[in-house]
Amino acid sequence: MLALWDLQKTLPIRGALLIAALALGGCSSQLADMSAADTPAHPREPGAYLPVHDLPPDRDQAIIPPDQRAKIEAELAAARDRQAVAAKDAK
C-alpha cells in the first residue's frame, strides 16, 4: 500500500519534469540556429602562420661562471634539504 501511495505522489511530478524537458529541448534547437546581428563575418583568407623557423638572436650576456654556478647549486641543495627536514617534521 505504501509503494502505491508513493507512486501516485511522484507520477505527476515525473510527468511535469518530462514535459518541461521536452519543451526546453524543442526551444534549444531554435536558439542554436539564431545568430547575432553584430557578429563579425569570418575572414575569407586565413591569417598567416607564425614564423616557426626563425630563431631568436644570440644572447649578449655571458654564461654563469662555473664557481658562481656551483655556489648557486649548493644554496639550492641546502634549501632542498631544509625543506625535506621541515616536511618530515611536519608529519
Side-chain angles (χ1 to χ4, degrees):
M1 184 76 173
L2 184 61
L4 182 62
W5 176 255
D6 288 341
L7 182 63
Q8 289 176 347
K9 287 170 51 177
T10 60
L11 192 60
I13 295 172
R14 290 182 184 181
L17 288 175
L18 178 65
I19 291 171
L22 292 174
L24 290 175
C27 293
S28 67
S29 64
Q30 293 173 356
L31 292 175
D33 294 336
M34 296 173 68
S35 64
D38 58 348
T39 303
H42 294 288
R44 297 218 180 255
E45 296 178 15
Y49 290 105
L50 295 175
V52 295
H53 297 291
D54 292 345
L55 297 175
D58 290 335
R59 294 184 180 190
D60 295 332
Q61 299 173 346
I63 299 175
I64 299 175
D67 58 339
Q68 190 177 6
R69 182 181 175 101
K71 179 183 172 189
I72 293 171
E73 287 177 356
E75 290 174 358
L76 289 172
R80 181 188 61 217
D81 294 340
R82 284 193 305 269
Q83 289 293 324
V85 170
K88 189 188 292 185
D89 290 342
K91 289 181 181 182

Coordinates of all heavy atoms in Angstrom, one line a residue:
M1 N 0.8 -1.2 0.0 CA 0.0 0.0 0.0 C 0.9 1.3 0.0 O 0.5 2.2 -0.7 CB -0.9 0.0 1.2 CG -1.9 1.1 1.3 SD -3.2 0.8 0.2 CE -4.2 2.1 0.6
L2 N 2.0 1.2 0.7 CA 2.9 2.3 0.8 C 3.5 2.6 -0.5 O 3.7 3.8 -0.9 CB 3.9 2.1 1.9 CG 4.9 3.3 2.2 CD1 4.1 4.5 2.7 CD2 5.9 2.9 3.2
A3 N 3.9 1.6 -1.2 CA 4.6 1.8 -2.5 C 3.6 2.4 -3.5 O 4.0 3.2 -4.4 CB 5.1 0.5 -3.1
L4 N 2.3 2.0 -3.5 CA 1.3 2.5 -4.4 C 1.1 4.0 -4.1 O 1.0 4.8 -5.0 CB 0.0 1.8 -4.3 CG -1.1 2.2 -5.2 CD1 -0.7 2.0 -6.7 CD2 -2.4 1.4 -4.9
W5 N 1.1 4.4 -2.8 CA 0.9 5.8 -2.4 C 2.1 6.6 -2.9 O 1.9 7.7 -3.4 CB 0.7 5.9 -0.9 CG 0.6 7.3 -0.4 CD1 1.6 8.0 0.2 CD2 -0.5 8.1 -0.5 NE1 1.2 9.2 0.5 CE2 -0.1 9.4 0.1 CE3 -1.7 8.0 -1.1 CZ2 -1.0 10.4 0.1 CZ3 -2.6 9.1 -1.0 CH2 -2.2 10.3 -0.4
D6 N 3.3 6.1 -2.8 CA 4.5 6.9 -3.3 C 4.4 7.0 -4.8 O 4.8 8.1 -5.3 CB 5.8 6.1 -2.9 CG 6.1 6.2 -1.4 OD1 5.5 7.1 -0.8 OD2 6.9 5.4 -0.9
L7 N 4.0 6.0 -5.5 CA 3.9 6.1 -7.0 C 2.9 7.2 -7.4 O 3.1 7.9 -8.3 CB 3.6 4.7 -7.6 CG 3.5 4.7 -9.1 CD1 4.8 5.0 -9.7 CD2 3.0 3.3 -9.5
Q8 N 1.8 7.2 -6.7 CA 0.7 8.2 -7.0 C 1.2 9.6 -6.7 O 0.8 10.5 -7.4 CB -0.5 7.9 -6.2 CG -1.3 6.7 -6.7 CD -2.5 6.4 -5.8 OE1 -2.6 6.9 -4.7 NE2 -3.3 5.5 -6.2
K9 N 2.1 9.8 -5.7 CA 2.6 11.1 -5.4 C 3.6 11.6 -6.4 O 3.7 12.8 -6.8 CB 3.1 11.2 -4.0 CG 2.1 11.1 -2.9 CD 2.6 11.0 -1.6 CE 3.7 11.9 -1.1 NZ 4.1 11.6 0.3
T10 N 4.5 10.7 -6.9 CA 5.6 11.0 -7.7 C 5.3 11.0 -9.2 O 6.0 11.6 -10.0 CB 6.8 10.1 -7.5 OG1 6.4 8.8 -7.8 CG2 7.3 10.2 -6.0
L11 N 4.2 10.4 -9.6 CA 3.9 10.3 -11.0 C 3.6 11.7 -11.6 O 4.1 12.0 -12.7 CB 2.7 9.3 -11.2 CG 2.4 8.9 -12.7 CD1 3.6 8.2 -13.2 CD2 1.2 8.0 -12.7
P12 N 2.8 12.5 -11.0 CA 2.6 13.9 -11.6 C 3.9 14.7 -11.6 O 4.1 15.4 -12.6 CB 1.6 14.5 -10.7 CG 0.9 13.4 -10.0 CD 1.9 12.3 -9.9
I13 N 4.7 14.5 -10.6 CA 6.0 15.3 -10.6 C 6.9 14.8 -11.8 O 7.5 15.6 -12.5 CB 6.7 15.1 -9.3 CG1 5.8 15.8 -8.2 CG2 8.1 15.7 -9.3 CD1 6.3 15.5 -6.8
R14 N 7.0 13.5 -12.0 CA 7.8 13.0 -13.1 C 7.2 13.4 -14.4 O 8.0 13.8 -15.3 CB 7.8 11.5 -13.0 CG 8.6 11.0 -11.9 CD 8.7 9.5 -11.9 NE 9.4 9.0 -10.7 CZ 9.7 7.7 -10.5 NH1 9.2 6.8 -11.3 NH2 10.3 7.3 -9.4
G15 N 5.9 13.4 -14.5 CA 5.3 13.9 -15.8 C 5.6 15.4 -16.1 O 5.9 15.7 -17.2
A16 N 5.5 16.2 -15.1 CA 5.8 17.6 -15.2 C 7.3 17.8 -15.6 O 7.6 18.7 -16.5 CB 5.5 18.4 -14.0
L17 N 8.2 17.1 -15.0 CA 9.6 17.2 -15.4 C 9.8 16.7 -16.8 O 10.6 17.3 -17.5 CB 10.4 16.4 -14.4 CG 10.6 17.0 -13.0 CD1 11.4 16.0 -12.1 CD2 11.3 18.3 -13.0
L18 N 9.2 15.7 -17.3 CA 9.3 15.2 -18.6 C 8.8 16.2 -19.6 O 9.5 16.5 -20.6 CB 8.6 13.9 -18.8 CG 8.6 13.3 -20.2 CD1 10.0 12.9 -20.6 CD2 7.7 12.1 -20.3
I19 N 7.7 16.8 -19.4 CA 7.1 17.8 -20.2 C 8.0 19.1 -20.3 O 8.3 19.6 -21.4 CB 5.7 18.2 -19.8 CG1 4.7 17.1 -20.1 CG2 5.2 19.5 -20.5 CD1 3.3 17.2 -19.5
A20 N 8.6 19.5 -19.1 CA 9.5 20.6 -19.1 C 10.7 20.3 -19.9 O 11.2 21.2 -20.6 CB 9.8 21.0 -17.7
A21 N 11.3 19.1 -19.8 CA 12.5 18.7 -20.5 C 12.2 18.7 -22.0 O 13.1 19.2 -22.8 CB 13.0 17.4 -20.1
L22 N 11.1 18.2 -22.4 CA 10.8 18.2 -23.9 C 10.6 19.6 -24.4 O 11.0 19.9 -25.5 CB 9.5 17.3 -24.1 CG 9.7 15.8 -23.9 CD1 8.4 15.1 -24.1 CD2 10.8 15.3 -24.9
A23 N 9.9 20.5 -23.6 CA 9.7 21.8 -24.1 C 11.0 22.6 -24.2 O 11.2 23.3 -25.2 CB 8.8 22.6 -23.1
L24 N 11.9 22.4 -23.2 CA 13.2 23.1 -23.3 C 14.1 22.6 -24.4 O 14.8 23.3 -25.0 CB 13.9 23.0 -21.9 CG 13.3 23.8 -20.8 CD1 14.0 23.6 -19.5 CD2 13.3 25.3 -21.1
G25 N 13.9 21.3 -24.7 CA 14.7 20.7 -25.7 C 14.2 21.2 -27.1 O 15.1 21.4 -28.0
G26 N 13.0 21.4 -27.3 CA 12.5 22.0 -28.5 C 12.9 23.4 -28.7 O 13.2 23.8 -29.8
C27 N 13.0 24.2 -27.7 CA 13.5 25.6 -27.8 C 15.0 25.7 -28.1 O 15.4 26.6 -28.7 CB 13.2 26.3 -26.5 SG 11.4 26.6 -26.2
S28 N 15.7 24.7 -27.6 CA 17.2 24.8 -27.8 C 17.6 24.7 -29.3 O 18.5 25.3 -29.7 CB 17.9 23.8 -27.0 OG 17.6 22.5 -27.5
S29 N 16.9 23.9 -30.0 CA 17.2 23.8 -31.5 C 17.0 25.1 -32.2 O 17.7 25.5 -33.1 CB 16.5 22.7 -32.1 OG 15.1 22.9 -32.1
Q30 N 15.9 25.9 -31.8 CA 15.6 27.1 -32.4 C 16.7 28.2 -32.0 O 17.1 29.0 -32.8 CB 14.2 27.6 -32.1 CG 13.2 26.7 -32.7 CD 11.8 27.1 -32.2 OE1 11.6 28.0 -31.3 NE2 10.8 26.4 -32.7
L31 N 17.1 28.1 -30.8 CA 18.1 29.1 -30.3 C 19.4 28.9 -30.9 O 20.2 29.8 -31.1 CB 18.2 29.0 -28.7 CG 17.0 29.5 -28.0 CD1 17.1 29.3 -26.5 CD2 16.7 31.0 -28.2
A32 N 19.8 27.6 -31.2 CA 21.1 27.3 -31.8 C 21.2 27.9 -33.2 O 22.3 28.2 -33.7 CB 21.3 25.8 -31.8
D33 N 20.1 27.9 -33.9 CA 20.1 28.4 -35.3 C 20.1 29.9 -35.4 O 20.5 30.5 -36.4 CB 18.9 27.9 -36.1 CG 18.9 26.4 -36.2 OD1 20.0 25.8 -36.2 OD2 17.8 25.8 -36.4
M34 N 19.8 30.6 -34.3 CA 19.8 32.1 -34.3 C 21.3 32.6 -34.3 O 22.1 32.0 -33.7 CB 19.0 32.6 -33.1 CG 17.6 32.2 -33.2 SD 16.7 32.7 -31.7 CE 16.7 34.5 -31.8
S35 N 21.5 33.7 -34.9 CA 22.8 34.4 -34.9 C 22.6 35.8 -34.5 O 21.6 36.5 -34.9 CB 23.6 34.2 -36.2 OG 22.9 34.9 -37.2
A36 N 23.6 36.4 -33.9 CA 23.5 37.8 -33.5 C 23.8 38.7 -34.7 O 24.6 38.3 -35.6 CB 24.5 38.1 -32.4
A37 N 23.2 39.8 -34.8 CA 23.3 40.7 -35.9 C 24.7 41.4 -35.9 O 25.2 41.7 -37.0 CB 22.2 41.8 -35.9
D38 N 25.3 41.5 -34.8 CA 26.6 42.2 -34.7 C 27.8 41.3 -34.7 O 28.9 41.7 -34.4 CB 26.6 43.1 -33.4 CG 26.4 42.3 -32.1 OD1 26.0 41.1 -32.3 OD2 26.7 42.8 -31.1
T39 N 27.5 40.0 -35.1 CA 28.6 39.1 -35.1 C 29.5 39.4 -36.4 O 29.0 39.5 -37.5 CB 28.1 37.6 -35.3 OG1 27.2 37.4 -34.2 CG2 29.2 36.6 -35.3
P40 N 30.8 39.5 -36.2 CA 31.7 39.8 -37.3 C 31.7 38.6 -38.3 O 31.6 37.5 -37.9 CB 33.1 40.1 -36.7 CG 33.0 39.4 -35.4 CD 31.6 39.4 -35.0
A41 N 31.8 39.0 -39.6 CA 31.9 37.9 -40.6 C 33.2 37.2 -40.5 O 34.2 37.8 -40.1 CB 31.7 38.6 -42.0
H42 N 33.3 36.0 -41.0 CA 34.5 35.2 -41.0 C 35.4 35.7 -42.1 O 34.9 36.0 -43.2 CB 34.2 33.7 -41.2 CG 33.5 33.1 -40.1 ND1 34.0 32.9 -38.9 CD2 32.2 32.7 -40.0 CE1 33.1 32.3 -38.1 NE2 32.0 32.2 -38.7
P43 N 36.7 35.8 -41.9 CA 37.6 36.3 -42.9 C 37.7 35.3 -44.1 O 37.6 34.1 -43.8 CB 38.9 36.4 -42.2 CG 38.8 35.5 -41.0 CD 37.4 35.5 -40.6
R44 N 37.8 35.8 -45.3 CA 37.9 34.9 -46.4 C 39.2 34.1 -46.5 O 39.2 33.0 -46.8 CB 37.7 35.7 -47.7 CG 36.3 36.3 -47.8 CD 35.8 36.3 -49.2 NE 34.5 36.9 -49.2 CZ 33.3 36.2 -49.3 NH1 33.4 34.9 -49.4 NH2 32.2 36.9 -49.4
E45 N 40.3 34.8 -46.1 CA 41.6 34.1 -46.1 C 42.0 33.9 -44.7 O 42.0 34.9 -43.9 CB 42.6 35.0 -46.9 CG 42.2 35.1 -48.3 CD 43.3 36.0 -49.0 OE1 44.3 36.2 -48.5 OE2 43.0 36.5 -50.1
P46 N 42.5 32.7 -44.4 CA 43.1 32.6 -43.0 C 44.3 33.4 -42.8 O 45.0 33.8 -43.7 CB 43.4 31.1 -42.9 CG 43.6 30.7 -44.3 CD 42.7 31.6 -45.2
G47 N 44.6 33.7 -41.6 CA 45.8 34.5 -41.2 C 47.1 33.8 -41.6 O 47.1 32.6 -41.8
A48 N 48.1 34.5 -41.6 CA 49.4 33.9 -41.9 C 49.9 33.1 -40.8 O 49.6 33.4 -39.6 CB 50.4 35.0 -42.3
Y49 N 50.7 32.1 -41.0 CA 51.3 31.3 -40.0 C 52.4 32.0 -39.3 O 53.1 32.8 -39.9 CB 51.8 29.9 -40.6 CG 50.6 29.0 -41.0 CD1 50.4 28.8 -42.3 CD2 49.9 28.4 -40.0 CE1 49.3 28.0 -42.7 CE2 48.8 27.5 -40.4 CZ 48.6 27.4 -41.7 OH 47.5 26.5 -42.1
L50 N 52.7 31.7 -38.1 CA 53.8 32.3 -37.4 C 55.1 31.8 -37.9 O 55.2 30.6 -38.3 CB 53.7 32.0 -35.9 CG 52.5 32.6 -35.2 CD1 52.4 32.1 -33.7 CD2 52.5 34.1 -35.2
P51 N 56.1 32.5 -37.9 CA 57.4 32.1 -38.4 C 58.1 31.1 -37.4 O 58.8 31.6 -36.5 CB 58.2 33.4 -38.6 CG 57.6 34.3 -37.6 CD 56.2 33.9 -37.5
V52 N 57.9 29.8 -37.6 CA 58.4 28.9 -36.7 C 59.9 28.6 -36.9 O 60.6 28.1 -36.0 CB 57.6 27.5 -36.7 CG1 56.2 27.8 -36.3 CG2 57.6 26.9 -38.1
H53 N 60.5 28.8 -38.0 CA 61.9 28.5 -38.3 C 62.8 29.7 -38.0 O 64.0 29.5 -38.1 CB 62.0 28.1 -39.8 CG 61.3 26.8 -40.1 ND1 61.6 25.6 -39.6 CD2 60.2 26.6 -40.8 CE1 60.8 24.7 -40.0 NE2 59.9 25.2 -40.8
D54 N 62.2 30.8 -37.7 CA 63.1 32.0 -37.3 C 63.6 31.8 -35.9 O 62.8 31.6 -35.0 CB 62.3 33.3 -37.4 CG 61.9 33.6 -38.9 OD1 62.5 33.0 -39.8 OD2 61.1 34.5 -39.1
L55 N 64.9 31.9 -35.7 CA 65.5 31.7 -34.4 C 65.7 33.0 -33.7 O 65.9 34.0 -34.4 CB 66.8 31.0 -34.5 CG 66.8 29.6 -35.1 CD1 68.2 29.0 -35.3 CD2 65.9 28.7 -34.2
P56 N 65.6 33.1 -32.4 CA 65.8 34.4 -31.7 C 67.3 34.8 -31.9 O 68.2 33.9 -32.1 CB 65.5 34.1 -30.3 CG 65.6 32.6 -30.1 CD 65.2 32.0 -31.5
P57 N 67.6 36.0 -31.7 CA 69.0 36.4 -31.8 C 69.8 35.9 -30.7 O 69.3 35.5 -29.6 CB 68.9 38.0 -31.7 CG 67.6 38.3 -31.1 CD 66.7 37.1 -31.4
D58 N 71.1 35.8 -30.9 CA 72.0 35.2 -29.8 C 72.0 36.2 -28.7 O 71.9 37.4 -28.8 CB 73.4 35.1 -30.4 CG 73.5 34.0 -31.4 OD1 72.7 33.0 -31.3 OD2 74.4 34.0 -32.3
R59 N 72.3 35.6 -27.5 CA 72.3 36.4 -26.3 C 73.6 37.2 -26.2 O 74.7 36.7 -26.6 CB 72.2 35.5 -25.0 CG 70.8 34.9 -24.9 CD 70.8 34.1 -23.7 NE 69.5 33.5 -23.6 CZ 69.0 32.9 -22.5 NH1 69.7 32.8 -21.4 NH2 67.8 32.3 -22.5
D60 N 73.5 38.4 -25.6 CA 74.7 39.2 -25.4 C 75.3 38.9 -24.0 O 76.5 39.2 -23.8 CB 74.3 40.7 -25.5 CG 73.9 41.1 -26.9 OD1 74.3 40.4 -27.9 OD2 73.1 42.0 -27.0
Q61 N 74.5 38.3 -23.1 CA 75.0 38.1 -21.8 C 75.9 36.9 -21.8 O 75.7 35.9 -22.5 CB 73.9 37.9 -20.8 CG 72.9 39.1 -20.7 CD 71.7 38.8 -19.9 OE1 71.4 37.6 -19.6 NE2 71.0 39.8 -19.5
A62 N 76.9 36.9 -20.9 CA 77.8 35.7 -20.7 C 77.1 34.6 -19.9 O 76.2 34.9 -19.1 CB 79.1 36.2 -20.1
I63 N 77.6 33.4 -20.1 CA 77.1 32.3 -19.3 C 77.6 32.4 -17.9 O 78.7 33.0 -17.6 CB 77.6 31.0 -19.9 CG1 77.0 30.9 -21.3 CG2 77.2 29.8 -19.1 CD1 77.6 29.7 -22.1
I64 N 76.9 31.9 -16.9 CA 77.3 32.0 -15.5 C 78.7 31.2 -15.3 O 78.8 30.1 -15.8 CB 76.3 31.3 -14.6 CG1 74.9 32.1 -14.7 CG2 76.7 31.3 -13.1 CD1 73.8 31.5 -14.0
P65 N 79.6 31.9 -14.6 CA 80.9 31.2 -14.4 C 80.7 30.0 -13.6 O 79.8 29.9 -12.8 CB 81.7 32.3 -13.7 CG 81.0 33.5 -13.9 CD 79.6 33.2 -14.2
P66 N 81.6 29.0 -13.7 CA 81.5 27.7 -13.0 C 81.5 27.8 -11.5 O 80.7 27.1 -10.8 CB 82.6 26.9 -13.5 CG 83.0 27.5 -14.8 CD 82.7 28.9 -14.7
D67 N 82.3 28.8 -11.0 CA 82.3 28.9 -9.5 C 81.0 29.5 -9.0 O 80.5 29.1 -7.9 CB 83.5 29.7 -9.1 CG 83.5 31.1 -9.7 OD1 82.8 31.3 -10.7 OD2 84.2 32.0 -9.1
Q68 N 80.4 30.4 -9.7 CA 79.2 31.0 -9.3 C 78.0 30.0 -9.4 O 77.1 29.9 -8.6 CB 78.9 32.3 -10.1 CG 77.7 33.1 -9.5 CD 77.5 34.4 -10.3 OE1 78.1 34.6 -11.4 NE2 76.6 35.2 -9.9
R69 N 78.1 29.2 -10.5 CA 77.1 28.1 -10.7 C 77.2 27.1 -9.6 O 76.1 26.7 -9.1 CB 77.3 27.5 -12.0 CG 76.3 26.4 -12.4 CD 76.7 25.8 -13.7 NE 75.8 24.7 -14.0 CZ 74.7 24.8 -14.8 NH1 74.5 25.9 -15.4 NH2 74.0 23.7 -15.0
A70 N 78.3 26.7 -9.1 CA 78.5 25.8 -8.0 C 77.9 26.3 -6.7 O 77.3 25.6 -6.0 CB 80.0 25.4 -7.9
K71 N 78.1 27.6 -6.5 CA 77.6 28.3 -5.3 C 76.1 28.3 -5.3 O 75.5 28.0 -4.3 CB 78.1 29.7 -5.2 CG 77.6 30.5 -4.1 CD 78.1 31.9 -4.1 CE 77.5 32.7 -3.0 NZ 77.7 34.2 -3.1
I72 N 75.5 28.6 -6.5 CA 74.0 28.6 -6.6 C 73.5 27.2 -6.4 O 72.5 27.0 -5.7 CB 73.6 29.2 -7.9 CG1 74.0 30.7 -8.0 CG2 72.1 29.0 -8.2 CD1 73.8 31.3 -9.4
E73 N 74.1 26.2 -7.0 CA 73.7 24.8 -6.8 C 73.8 24.4 -5.3 O 72.9 23.7 -4.8 CB 74.4 23.9 -7.7 CG 74.1 24.0 -9.2 CD 74.9 23.1 -10.1 OE1 75.9 22.5 -9.6 OE2 74.7 23.1 -11.3
A74 N 74.8 24.8 -4.6 CA 75.0 24.4 -3.2 C 73.9 25.1 -2.4 O 73.3 24.5 -1.5 CB 76.3 24.9 -2.7
E75 N 73.5 26.4 -2.7 CA 72.5 27.0 -2.0 C 71.1 26.4 -2.2 O 70.3 26.2 -1.3 CB 72.4 28.5 -2.4 CG 73.6 29.3 -1.9 CD 73.5 30.8 -2.5 OE1 72.6 31.1 -3.3 OE2 74.4 31.5 -2.1
L76 N 70.9 26.0 -3.5 CA 69.6 25.3 -3.8 C 69.5 23.9 -3.1 O 68.5 23.5 -2.6 CB 69.4 25.1 -5.3 CG 69.2 26.4 -6.0 CD1 69.2 26.2 -7.5 CD2 67.8 27.0 -5.6
A77 N 70.6 23.2 -3.1 CA 70.7 21.9 -2.4 C 70.4 22.0 -0.9 O 69.7 21.2 -0.3 CB 72.0 21.2 -2.6
A78 N 71.0 23.1 -0.3 CA 70.8 23.3 1.1 C 69.3 23.7 1.4 O 68.7 23.2 2.4 CB 71.7 24.4 1.6
A79 N 68.7 24.5 0.6 CA 67.3 24.8 0.7 C 66.4 23.6 0.6 O 65.5 23.4 1.3 CB 66.9 25.9 -0.3
R80 N 66.8 22.7 -0.4 CA 66.0 21.5 -0.6 C 66.1 20.6 0.6 O 65.1 20.0 1.1 CB 66.5 20.8 -1.8 CG 65.8 19.5 -2.1 CD 66.4 18.7 -3.2 NE 67.8 18.3 -2.8 CZ 68.8 18.3 -3.6 NH1 68.7 18.6 -4.9 NH2 70.0 17.9 -3.1
D81 N 67.3 20.5 1.2 CA 67.5 19.7 2.4 C 66.7 20.2 3.6 O 66.1 19.5 4.4 CB 68.9 19.5 2.8 CG 69.7 18.8 1.7 OD1 69.1 18.0 0.9 OD2 70.9 19.0 1.6
R82 N 66.7 21.6 3.7 CA 65.9 22.2 4.8 C 64.4 21.9 4.6 O 63.7 21.6 5.6 CB 66.2 23.7 4.9 CG 67.5 24.1 5.5 CD 67.6 25.6 5.8 NE 67.3 26.4 4.6 CZ 68.2 26.9 3.7 NH1 69.5 26.6 3.9 NH2 67.8 27.6 2.7
Q83 N 64.0 22.0 3.4 CA 62.5 21.7 3.2 C 62.2 20.3 3.4 O 61.1 20.0 3.9 CB 62.2 22.1 1.7 CG 62.2 23.6 1.4 CD 61.0 24.2 2.2 OE1 59.9 23.7 2.4 NE2 61.3 25.5 2.7
A84 N 63.1 19.4 3.1 CA 62.8 17.9 3.3 C 62.7 17.7 4.8 O 61.9 16.9 5.3 CB 63.9 17.1 2.7
V85 N 63.6 18.3 5.6 CA 63.6 18.1 7.1 C 62.3 18.7 7.7 O 61.7 18.1 8.5 CB 64.9 18.7 7.7 CG1 64.7 18.8 9.2 CG2 66.1 17.9 7.3
A86 N 61.9 19.9 7.2 CA 60.7 20.5 7.7 C 59.5 19.7 7.3 O 58.6 19.6 8.1 CB 60.6 21.9 7.1
A87 N 59.5 19.1 6.1 CA 58.3 18.3 5.7 C 58.3 17.0 6.5 O 57.2 16.6 6.9 CB 58.4 18.0 4.2
K88 N 59.4 16.5 6.9 CA 59.4 15.2 7.7 C 59.0 15.6 9.1 O 58.3 14.8 9.7 CB 60.8 14.7 7.7 CG 60.9 13.3 8.4 CD 62.3 12.8 8.6 CE 63.0 12.5 7.3 NZ 64.3 11.9 7.5
D89 N 59.4 16.7 9.6 CA 59.0 17.1 11.0 C 57.5 17.4 11.1 O 56.9 17.3 12.1 CB 59.8 18.3 11.5 CG 61.3 17.9 11.7 OD1 61.5 16.7 11.9 OD2 62.1 18.8 11.8
A90 N 56.9 17.9 10.0 CA 55.5 18.3 9.9 C 54.6 17.1 10.0 O 53.5 17.1 10.5 CB 55.2 19.1 8.7
K91 N 55.1 15.9 9.5 CA 54.3 14.7 9.5 C 54.3 14.2 10.9 O 53.8 14.0 11.7 CB 54.9 13.7 8.6 CG 54.7 14.1 7.1 CD 55.2 13.0 6.2 CE 55.0 13.4 4.8 NZ 55.5 12.4 3.9

